[in-house]
Amino acid sequence: KSGLDPGGAWHAWGMACLKAGNLTSAREKFNRCLKPPMDLNQLNHGSRLVQDVIQYLESTVKPVLITDDDYFATLRELEATLRTRSLSLEMMCEGKIQHNSYYQECLFYLHSYGTNLAIISFYMRHDCMREALLHLLNKESPSEVFIEGIFVPSYESGKLHMLENLLETIDPGLESWGVYLIAACKYLQRKNYYHILYELQQFMKDHVRAAMTCIRFFTHGAKSYTELGGKQMWLLKIKDHLKVYLQEVSRSSGRKKMAFTFRKKMSATDVSRHINTVDLQMEVTKFLHQCESSGASQMTDSSLPTLFGNNNMKMDVACKVILEGKNIEEGFGIAFRVLQDFQLEATEVYSRVAKQLVKRQKYSEIQQLLKCVNESGVAAKNDGDNIILNCLNEFKNIPAEDLDNLIQDMDSDENKIQAYVMCNKLRSAYLVSVRQEKARALQLVQHVRQLAESGGDHVVTAICAQWL
């Protein structure tokens, strides 16, 4: 008469029927106020009303454990304990409680009015993981339902191995679970749970991604190569994963193509290249670890470069190896292989090293660097000269004698003149210029004269004028 919503009344009546044990009548009452969700895959447990019904039914089934303090339990409590104990005996059998009427009632309400997540969570609460997984597959629920309903509760309760065993029992090839497993990996990566991620990748036999996780274990948080020296087992694990992947690829190529849809693929060439990178990183790690241990190391970079980074980082590794040895020659061989293997810009690396040597005032070692570069057999004609030219920007800090020695080590007269001009040594530039072939000498001396005039160097201006 008053036009109020009768839903609340029906729900209260249904709850009263439940408490009285009249399950059939309760279904009839709830049918008038409960509605199925619009989207079965929404990430919640359905309406509050449905949750109340399930909560009550579950609390009725739950066994009450008697402790030493329960001596004064009333007769009714004792009776309830015994009743629920006998019901729960059926629950113990492999986590199955299908024969229990309250369990069946829960399932009726969940299937009629609950979401897939609510059904799956119910199964998980009662140790029916297999049923939860089969329901997920049958309903083709999205991966979010798997993560929230099955995966997170499994690893939080220490049942990840049980989950893995069931996934394999239901589908030995794991193909049906591919989407869910990849989603679980992404979830773990977002959460920075790399140890669980690594365990899962090994279970999935996803060797390429497992190798990538090992790279993270090797590089993450290390502040020195001494620390990396203690983490070399991860480099061995990377190699193991990549070798197993290569074996699997070669086995499957002989037979009918295997559809590893969710496992990361990589060409055999790329895998071999990565194995080579790991070998080289092991060599670099041993060398730099030794340098740090012997106290030869002088570089204090905030970031620690490895060969697993981009090309710029690989160039940093090459520089570090050349600079941190007892002398330039000691680390040059390893650095040269890094440059060759990754086809890096060698002149840029050598120039960076030369600039560092200028900062450290180790001018004789620049000459040793040039010797190594020339003896490497792949240096271009002007490489040595360019290395010197690149570090002359710091000429004001280089003592005059060392500066002259460096410039005189250059091969090309043209480059020597350019170097003298850069360092404002116009008289020396003039002396090299006049030794050139007549027509070229004329141009060079005129250029030196112009520079001397604009710089107010009357002596060099006069010498140039007299020669001209």
Side-chain angles (χ1 to χ4, degrees):
K1 283 179 179 178
S2 57
L4 294 171
D5 177 24
W10 286 117
H11 187 260
W13 197 352
M15 288 302 286
C17 292
L18 269 191
K19 286 169 185 173
N22 190 346
L23 302 181
T24 314
S25 186
R27 283 190 186 192
E28 185 195 324
K29 306 298 179 283
F30 284 129
N31 188 39
R32 295 172 181 268
C33 62
L34 298 179
K35 290 183 178 63
M38 297 288 284
D39 176 14
L40 289 173
N41 286 321
Q42 60 196 41
L43 288 180
N44 58 44
H45 291 260
S47 72
R48 184 69 253 172
L49 300 178
V50 178
Q51 289 180 53
D52 287 346
V53 172
I54 302 303
Q55 210 171 342
Y56 173 75
L57 287 168
E58 282 187 302
S59 68
T60 311
V61 173
K62 228 168 213 174
V64 180
L65 298 173
I66 299 175
T67 62
D68 294 343
D69 300 323
D70 285 343
Y71 291 122
F72 303 104
T74 63
L75 209 62
R76 190 178 295 136
E77 282 174 326
L78 189 59
E79 193 184 337
T81 303
L82 291 170
R83 190 178 74 244
T84 52
R85 270 262 172 96
S86 65
L87 287 172
S88 71
L89 284 176
E90 290 155 347
M91 289 171 65
M92 301 302 181
C93 178
E94 297 179 3
K96 305 286 189 289
I97 45 174
Q98 282 93 327
H99 305 302
N100 182 290
S101 58
Y102 282 93
Y103 173 91
Q104 289 303 322
E105 210 58 24
C106 283
L107 284 179
F108 166 77
Y109 286 108
L110 285 168
H111 281 287
S112 303
Y113 311 109
T115 60
N116 284 327
L117 180 60
I119 296 166
I120 284 167
S121 299
F122 175 80
Y123 281 134
M124 290 296 286
R125 279 199 302 280
H126 295 286
D127 294 330
C128 299
M129 196 187 281
R130 183 186 172 83
E131 283 75 3
L133 288 167
L134 291 172
H135 182 84
L136 180 88
L137 268 191
N138 292 337
K139 299 295 176 185
E140 296 180 352
S141 292
S143 49
E144 291 81 6
V145 174
F146 170 73
I147 301 288
E148 198 172 318
I150 299 175
F151 185 70
V152 174
S154 294
Y155 78 70
E156 283 183 347
S157 59
K159 292 179 180 171
L160 191 57
H161 284 300
M162 188 195 292
L163 172 62
E164 289 172 351
N165 289 338
L166 277 170
L167 293 175
E168 216 164 19
T169 307
I170 294 168
D171 178 4
L174 300 178
E175 287 304 318
S176 327
W177 308 114
V179 177
Y180 299 118
L181 288 169
I182 293 296
C185 289
K186 285 177 181 171
Y187 168 83
L188 293 169
Q189 202 165 357
R190 279 198 307 275
K191 289 280 189 181
N192 288 332
Y193 295 162
Y194 284 94
H195 288 281
I196 304 174
L197 173 64
Y198 182 51
E199 189 184 323
L200 189 63
Q201 286 167 337
Q202 289 179 94
F203 162 72
M204 291 159 64
K205 296 184 175 59
D206 195 347
H207 294 292
V208 175
R209 286 194 181 97
M212 289 158 77
T213 305
C214 290
I215 290 174
R216 195 209 180 256
F217 284 136
F218 175 71
T219 55
H220 185 68
K223 295 279 186 289
S224 69
Y225 261 90
T226 305
E227 280 181 51
L228 286 185
K231 295 167 89 175
Q232 287 189 79
M233 59 161 186
W234 291 113
L235 294 177
L236 295 171
K237 287 190 176 182
I238 297 168
K239 274 182 76 171
D240 289 344
H241 284 300
L242 294 176
K243 282 177 177 173
V244 170
Y245 177 77
L246 274 182
Q247 286 166 3
E248 286 185 358
V249 168
S250 62
R251 271 205 301 269
S252 62
S253 62
R255 297 199 307 268
K256 189 183 163 191
K257 274 283 179 208
M258 291 169 76
F260 287 137
T261 47
F262 64 91
R263 296 178 181 95
K264 191 168 178 67
K265 291 193 176 101
M266 195 179 274
S267 71
T269 318
D270 282 347
V271 174
S272 302
R273 199 162 41 80
H274 286 304
I275 290 173
N276 188 45
T277 301
V278 173
D279 284 334
L280 202 46
Q281 180 63 55
M282 285 176 100
E283 231 178 298
V284 167
T285 306
K286 280 175 191 164
F287 177 76
L288 291 175
H289 181 199
Q290 247 173 345
C291 294
E292 286 180 5
S293 305
S294 66
S297 172
Q298 294 178 19
M299 292 183 86
T300 51
D301 288 339
S302 51
S303 64
L304 196 64
T306 68
L307 298 177
F308 299 118
N310 56 21
N311 276 358
N312 204 36
M313 192 186 266
K314 290 181 179 109
M315 287 163 93
D316 288 343
V317 171
C319 291
K320 197 172 174 68
V321 169
I322 295 174
L323 287 163
E324 295 216 2
K326 288 197 286 287
N327 52 49
I328 294 297
E329 272 180 76
E330 193 184 20
F332 189 84
I334 297 173
F336 184 71
R337 277 177 50 209
V338 170
L339 297 175
Q340 291 289 294
D341 282 13
F342 299 106
Q343 298 178 332
L344 302 173
E345 193 54 60
T347 314
E348 193 184 327
V349 171
Y350 300 143
S351 298
R352 279 196 212 175
V353 171
K355 282 176 184 172
Q356 281 291 327
L357 292 172
V358 169
K359 275 188 190 169
R360 297 182 190 182
Q361 301 179 348
K362 293 189 170 181
Y363 309 110
S364 61
E365 291 198 12
I366 296 176
Q367 290 166 314
Q368 198 180 8
L369 172 69
L370 296 173
K371 181 170 171 280
C372 290
V373 171
N374 290 329
E375 287 173 358
S376 69
V378 293
K381 189 183 176 189
N382 279 333
D383 275 0
D385 288 5
N386 288 333
I387 291 164
I388 294 172
L389 285 171
N390 280 329
C391 68
L392 287 184
N393 297 328
E394 310 286 329
F395 75 90
K396 286 174 185 162
N397 304 325
I398 305 175
E401 191 184 338
D402 292 304
L403 192 58
D404 277 338
N405 287 341
L406 281 176
I407 295 173
Q408 280 164 23
D409 275 345
M410 293 173 119
D411 294 323
S412 150
D413 280 351
E414 293 275 346
N415 288 333
K416 281 182 187 174
I417 294 164
Q418 190 185 337
Y420 283 129
V421 167
M422 276 174 75
C423 303
N424 289 330
K425 289 179 169 283
L426 297 180
R427 185 186 175 86
S428 300
Y430 161 77
L431 290 171
V432 180
S433 298
V434 295
R435 293 207 303 264
Q436 306 311 303
E437 180 264 321
K438 234 356 175 322
R440 183 62 183 142
L442 200 63
Q443 291 173 334
L444 291 167
V445 173
Q446 279 174 337
H447 179 55
V448 172
R449 179 188 175 182
Q450 283 169 359
L451 291 170
E453 279 176 354
S454 59
D457 189 337
H458 302 302
V459 178
V460 175
T461 307
I463 295 169
C464 290
Q466 191 180 352
W467 186 86
L468 287 166

